[in-house]
Amino acid sequence: MTPPPFDPEIAAHLAAIHAWLPLTITPDMIPAGRQLPSGSPPPPTNEELAGDGRFEVEERAVPGPPGAPDVTVLICRPTGAIEPRPVLYTIHGGGMVTGTHRLGITPDAPGAQKA
């Protein structure tokens, strides 16, 4: 099968990603895919996500599918929030195959302080 064409402006970025993570992934490749590429910034710490005290940060384990391990979720809520609040729900696009649940998370997400 021929992959769909991509915007030429992102070709160099895609080549770098494919050097680290091939187009076809097999189960035995997943542990290596969960490691960050050399030179990548580390995932944000709880202190960094707290945004100078603007957010309370918590990790919780929620049940996975039957027979599977629990899934760790990251909860960042405005400090002192006690009433029900709207949420920004983000799923890491790596599909639990690459990266971590903290990859791409920032307390400066649009609307995060208002939620």
Side-chain angles (χ1 to χ4, degrees), residues 23-85:
L23 291 174
T24 301
I25 301 171
T26 59
D28 59 307
M29 299 166 71
I30 292 174
R34 289 184 175 156
Q35 303 301 311
L36 291 175
S38 177
S40 295
T45 64
N46 285 1
E47 292 75 27
E48 291 167 332
L49 290 173
D52 296 323
R54 292 180 293 148
F55 296 95
E56 297 170 354
V57 180
E58 174 186 1
E59 285 195 8
R60 290 188 193 172
V62 297
D70 289 348
V71 176
T72 302
V73 296
L74 183 64
I75 301 167
C76 303
R77 75 175 63 78
T79 299
I82 54 174
E83 69 279 352
R85 307 287 297 224

